[in-house]
Amino acid sequence: MDRFDCLIVGAGAAGLMAAIKASEDGRKVCIVESNEKAGKKIYITGKGRCNLTNACDPDSFFDNIISNKKFMYSSYYFFDNFQTIEYFNSLGLPTKIERGDRVFPVSDKSSDVIKVLVNKCRENDVEVLYNTKVDKLIIEDGEVKGVLTSGGKELFAPQVIVATGGKSYPSTGSTGDGYRFARESGHEVTDLIPGLVPMNIKEKDCQEMQGLSMKNVELTYVDVKTGKTIYSGFGEMMFTHFGITGPLVLSASSVLGKARDVKVILDCKPALDDNKLDKRILRDFSERPNYELKNVLGALLPRSMVPVVIKRSGIDASKKVNSITKEERAALVNVIKRMEFSFAGFREFREAIITRGGVSIKDINPHTMESKYIKGLYFAGEVIDVDALTGGFNLQIAWSTGALAGSQRGE
């Protein structure tokens, strides 16, 4: 029989970190991975560069956690973002800090992050079973005993760590099996929805601006029924054939949650108030008084946005700018500062960066990551109902919870 001290289901960020920590004191550790290689989701994070954590202070870190931040206190302080940076450096992976305190490998290669983790597992004699799918957990009398693979093989250990990831990017192997294991063993799994995901927009204007990436803009999401602002942020976004995406949109998606009757307001020029923007438009008009409107706005706005702005303003695109009225300029200002769109739902899990929801934190001991019901069963990473905004925070949740779970002896 195959017996180990610790079995880990999943060779993603949380699973690899858990394996390293579990094997540091000589324990016999095995990772069971359904893919043919480790870290498939790590590979695509940060557009292939791997934003592996964020170098912010603790208060800022917790401000960026959307769901169940208090649950993260113990695991974060056990293995925080600065320990993460130091640890990767110690493994031979130099890092750098970019805008927004985002931390990347100096090489800009996510494959290097995976490489040092896999090498450390190999150095610690961690056994990895690739192309091996876990069918179910083996549980007897309230204690985990091991796992049963889909091939009918039983693997035994007094400690099993479920680090299977969520449902996002299913092509990386995130099929949601961890949620099934949790439910089958008596744990609650909260509602699962795509997180950090692009959004569909009702208006067809987005298609006309498809591919347009905008920096230094402000997006505000307003609940139509109450008039209250749900989210407002400053940064980057992009128009697509279905709607909008980009960092601002992805962050907003995690805050919106289940809200549906929402209008999105884009301020293309947040650095200018209405009066200053009007003066800027007047200046552009004065420099080309005999030009048509459609040929002047290009100095202020991206080319693909000009027809949309003119159409929304109600002004004739062929009108000479020297004959445009004060009221018409006000209409232009209003469109540029308050371009409205109607939210039409999130994209699917296959386009989401993370899964929101998961194994209920009420069922997990935050000081150990162990189940409150099944002795020796632990959860780590995205499978838990904790999520954060973009910027390296979700990977840090995986490192922290994986490190804490792996450091428990489970005996």
Side-chain angles (χ1 to χ4, degrees):
M1 290 190 297
D2 292 286
R3 292 193 176 275
F4 301 90
D5 297 310
C6 176
L7 281 167
I8 297 162
V9 187
L16 289 168
M17 185 59 75
I20 291 168
K21 292 296 181 182
S23 60
E24 281 181 348
D25 58 0
R27 281 187 289 164
K28 189 178 180 185
V29 178
C30 176
I31 303 175
V32 188
E33 169 57 51
S34 60
N35 287 316
E36 75 286 358
K37 58 185 176 182
K40 268 198 164 183
K41 191 172 178 185
I42 297 174
Y43 187 75
I44 62 173
T45 59
K47 296 178 181 176
R49 297 174 59 218
C50 191
N51 179 191
L52 56 90
T53 189
N54 192 287
C56 64
D57 60 75
D59 287 344
S60 297
F61 178 82
F62 286 108
D63 284 345
N64 279 276
I65 297 180
I66 301 300
S67 305
N68 302 316
K69 63 182 69 180
K70 288 183 180 178
F71 176 82
M72 281 298 301
Y73 287 170
S74 293
S75 58
Y76 172 77
Y77 286 111
F78 177 80
F79 193 74
D80 67 20
N81 45 344
F82 296 104
Q83 288 171 282
T84 298
I85 295 168
E86 290 173 9
Y87 188 70
F88 277 105
N89 292 164
S90 75
L91 294 179
L93 185 81
T95 54
K96 59 181 176 179
I97 300 173
E98 297 187 0
R99 182 175 51 81
D101 287 329
R102 295 175 300 166
V103 180
F104 293 89
V106 168
S107 67
D108 283 330
K109 293 179 180 178
S110 56
S111 56
D112 288 346
V113 176
I114 302 165
K115 190 183 301 179
V116 296
L117 291 170
V118 170
N119 285 346
K120 187 62 178 176
C121 284
R122 191 178 296 118
E123 182 184 313
N124 288 9
D125 295 321
V126 173
E127 186 172 340
V128 186
L129 301 178
Y130 293 112
N131 297 306
T132 305
K133 188 176 175 64
V134 170
D135 190 45
K136 69 175 184 176
L137 305 178
I138 301 172
I139 297 170
E140 296 174 7
D141 301 322
E143 290 186 29
V144 72
K145 299 296 182 181
V147 303
L148 175 68
T149 71
S150 55
K153 189 174 185 179
E154 291 182 329
L155 304 171
F156 295 96
Q159 180 184 22
V160 174
I161 301 173
V162 175
T164 49
K167 289 182 70 177
S168 59
Y169 288 134
S171 60
T172 65
S174 301
T175 55
D177 283 347
Y179 305 127
R180 178 171 60 83
F181 300 151
R183 289 192 186 100
E184 289 175 352
S185 54
H187 300 82
E188 178 190 351
V189 175
T190 61
D191 290 344
L192 305 173
I193 59 174
L196 300 180
V197 64
M199 298 180 185
N200 294 312
I201 294 294
K202 291 178 184 177
E203 289 81 4
K204 301 302 179 186
D205 292 348
C206 294
Q207 292 181 10
E208 295 178 40
M209 297 183 284
Q210 179 179 344
L212 172 60
S213 183
M214 301 191 74
K215 295 182 178 181
N216 303 319
V217 297
E218 186 174 63
L219 275 183
T220 302
Y221 293 77
V222 177
D223 187 310
V224 173
K225 292 179 181 176
T226 65
K228 290 183 178 179
T229 296
I230 303 171
Y231 174 86
S232 186
F234 177 86
E236 300 175 32
M237 64 156 291
M238 186 172 76
F239 291 100
T240 70
H241 65 284
F242 57 77
I244 51 177
T245 189
L248 268 181
V249 178
L250 301 183
S251 292
S253 71
S254 283
V255 179
L256 257 63
K258 296 179 181 179
R260 288 295 177 269
D261 195 4
V262 175
K263 64 179 177 181
V264 186
I265 304 170
L266 169 63
D267 184 348
C268 302
K269 298 291 177 182
L272 304 175
D273 61 22
D274 285 28
N275 186 47
K276 287 180 180 176
L277 180 56
D278 184 46
K279 288 181 178 177
R280 165 65 196 275
I281 291 172
L282 263 177
R283 190 183 74 204
D284 289 351
F285 285 2
S286 66
E287 291 174 355
R288 299 176 180 84
N290 294 312
Y291 278 52
E292 294 179 350
L293 179 61
K294 62 186 177 185
N295 296 322
V296 175
L297 283 183
L300 179 66
L301 300 168
R303 185 173 299 174
S304 60
M305 181 174 271
V306 170
V308 173
V309 168
I310 293 175
K311 180 177 63 179
R312 284 177 172 240
S313 73
I315 307 171
D316 181 353
S318 300
K319 190 171 185 177
K320 297 286 180 65
V321 295
N322 59 10
S323 61
I324 288 179
T325 66
K326 181 180 179 181
E327 289 73 25
E328 287 173 326
R329 285 202 323 274
L332 278 175
V333 168
N334 189 58
V335 172
I336 295 168
K337 294 285 292 178
R338 288 167 285 275
M339 190 179 291
E340 286 193 15
F341 300 94
S342 305
F343 172 65
F346 298 117
R347 302 293 284 175
E348 300 171 356
F349 272 109
R350 59 188 175 86
E351 295 180 53
I353 294 176
I354 61 165
T355 304
R356 301 199 68 211
V359 182
S360 173
I361 60 163
K362 294 182 293 184
D363 297 349
I364 302 171
N365 181 343
H367 304 293
T368 61
M369 295 293 126
E370 186 175 18
S371 161
K372 291 181 179 179
Y373 310 128
I374 308 296
K375 188 177 187 306
L377 178 60
Y378 295 74
F379 296 95
E382 192 180 338
V383 74
I384 302 172
D385 182 16
V386 181
D387 63 271
L389 300 179
T390 56
F393 302 102
N394 288 289
L395 260 181
Q396 183 58 51
I397 289 170
W399 306 133
S400 294
T401 55
L404 181 57
S407 297
Q408 311 303 311
R409 293 198 66 86
E411 297 172 352

